[in-house]
Amino acid sequence: MSGSLSQPITAADRIVHTRAAIWRGDDDIALESVPVPPLRSGEVLVRVTLATVCGSDRHTVTGRRAQPCPSILGHETVGRIVAFGSDGELRSVDGRPLHLGQRVVWSETLPCGTCDRCRAGVSAKCRTVRKAGHEAFDSGWALSGGYAEHVLLPRGMPVAVVDDVIPDSLAAPAACATATVMAVIERATPVAGRRVVVIGAGMLGLTALAAAATADASSVTAVDPSDERRALAAQFGATAVLPSIADVEQCDVLIELSGNAAALQDGLRKLDVQGVAVFAGSVAPEGDIAVDPESVVRRHLSFFGVHNYEPRHLIQALDFLQRTKARFPWTDLVADPVPLDRIRSLLIEAPGTKPRYSIAP
């Protein structure tokens, strides 16, 4: 994102306070009034229209995942631009000018753009990366998370414009789940004509199934112990649904999205010659994965990890959702939004079986 189309807002009409759900550790999550700082050059203020609850945020509040505290959580968010920090021209990742009122999503990661990793095209692993919904409240980027009425996007944050045909319930997960899957599929390429197995049929897994089917995989197998998730998988491109990886014969591409180390271990044994395994998200810390080097050599296997994604994957995610919105029942995956003051229950109580729950501040 570089420069803005709007005139700077004045002190008289600028937004000075907003409401946000601040997480202060354990299950302490409360709605509070938060100051909105004056916007600096290149910054954008977005009014949140919908934010979905990613499983990683549940892991944070239940102690399975470390994160700075206190903070405003939430990194799957869509909203409308309400203010810019200065005049000039800001553009989206695909080069479109940004203007007031536009509906946008933004990257989970804010890279520096200058370190060796950024220059090499691996901005997802920038040496000084900052992350939406992951920053400490006293870090200088207090309004980083989507469980709030407003989010402040710093200079350099990759932003993507959301076309009208994509509803909020699809757009918000694009900023994490869908874009991550785009990175996973890129790592697994080629997919066309190959046998793909996806372990885990949550939001990421269902998206991966749909992406593999759209990429013309010869077969797409979903593995999940849940009857409900397997039924969903059949609606998202799976040609076979199985309760256990033990029931799989062989595959060419293994995509692990369950966080289950035992399932991953068994899945690696199913890879055929020149098989590719892609691990995304976090593998549950229930034991090490054993890899036989001789087997890797003799079978010509390749293992890849994916964490975060590049700005191009955000654009690919929105394009993918637009192309497939009539083919797959995406809107069934996200529950109707509830008010912001109910975010604590969504994070703590896991109210049902939908892959995503959402708030609309």
Side-chain angles (χ1 to χ4, degrees):
M1 189 176 73
S2 58
S4 138
L5 279 181
S6 168
Q7 293 296 319
I9 53 178
T10 67
D13 60 9
R14 79 174 185 87
I15 298 166
V16 295
H17 284 88
T18 190
R19 292 192 312 154
I22 300 181
W23 172 63
R24 298 189 179 278
D26 299 324
D27 61 354
D28 183 359
I29 305 164
L31 215 56
E32 301 182 24
S33 178
V34 177
V36 178
L39 299 183
R40 295 172 294 186
S41 175
E43 293 183 336
V44 177
L45 189 67
V46 175
R47 177 61 166 90
V48 174
T49 54
L50 187 134
T52 44
V53 177
C54 178
S56 63
D57 283 337
R58 287 203 181 102
H59 293 165
T60 295
V61 300
T62 56
R64 291 183 57 192
R65 178 174 172 271
Q67 164 143 336
C69 180
S71 63
I72 300 172
L73 304 175
H75 53 273
E76 292 186 343
T77 315
V78 60
R80 293 192 180 274
I81 297 174
V82 294
F84 294 101
S86 68
D87 54 2
E89 185 175 78
L90 284 178
R91 292 185 177 274
S92 67
V93 174
D94 63 357
R96 283 191 267 184
L98 298 179
H99 56 76
L100 295 176
Q102 264 178 332
R103 199 161 54 109
V104 294
V105 293
W106 48 95
S107 176
E108 185 179 358
T109 57
L110 172 61
C112 72
T114 59
C115 72
D116 57 331
R117 293 176 181 172
C118 287
R119 293 196 309 271
V122 194
S123 69
K125 304 311 296 181
C126 167
R127 292 190 181 277
T128 58
V129 70
R130 292 188 288 167
K131 298 184 69 173
H134 293 72
E135 299 299 308
F137 193 67
D138 60 359
S139 68
W141 186 16
L143 294 176
S144 77
Y147 304 151
E149 291 179 343
H150 294 85
V151 173
L152 190 153
L153 305 182
R155 173 183 283 278
M157 174 61 85
V159 173
V161 177
V162 180
D163 292 333
D164 291 341
V165 296
I166 302 177
D168 283 350
S169 59
L170 273 69
C176 176
T178 321
T180 298
V181 168
M182 297 300 101
V184 166
I185 294 297
E186 182 179 281
R187 275 293 202 176
T189 301
V191 171
R194 307 188 83 192
R195 298 162 295 176
V196 177
V197 170
V198 177
I199 305 177
M203 190 70 181
L204 282 162
L206 294 168
T207 306
L209 292 168
T214 303
D216 296 324
S218 63
S219 65
V220 183
T221 300
V223 177
D224 198 294
S226 164
D227 292 341
E228 291 177 339
R229 289 190 172 190
R230 291 200 305 276
L232 271 176
Q235 301 178 55
F236 281 85
T239 56
V241 291
L242 301 171
S244 169
I245 191 68
D247 299 322
V248 173
E249 292 185 3
Q250 280 188 321
C251 64
D252 304 303
V253 177
L254 178 74
I255 299 176
E256 157 45 36
L257 298 168
S258 71
N260 186 302
L264 172 57
Q265 179 73 81
D266 290 342
L268 295 179
R269 300 188 182 101
K270 304 294 183 176
L271 284 170
D272 204 347
V273 170
Q274 290 195 314
V276 175
V278 184
F279 319 149
S282 56
V283 176
E286 55 195 10
D288 295 333
I289 302 297
V291 176
D292 176 9
E294 183 176 1
S295 178
V296 173
V297 170
R298 290 186 179 277
R299 289 190 286 156
H300 290 205
L301 303 183
S302 299
F303 300 158
F304 296 103
V306 170
H307 183 238
N308 303 331
Y309 57 84
E310 297 301 319
R312 66 179 178 276
H313 298 128
L314 189 58
I315 296 297
Q316 290 171 10
L318 293 173
D319 178 65
F320 170 69
L321 290 171
Q322 184 166 331
R323 287 187 291 111
T324 62
K325 61 185 174 60
R327 180 174 177 180
F328 304 114
W330 293 111
T331 55
D332 292 350
L333 301 183
V334 181
D336 292 337
V338 299
L340 177 59
D341 59 11
R342 289 182 57 188
I343 187 60
R344 182 183 180 278
S345 65
L346 297 187
L347 289 167
I348 301 297
E349 298 169 11
T353 58
K354 288 279 188 179
R356 285 292 186 269
Y357 288 82
S358 64
I359 57 99

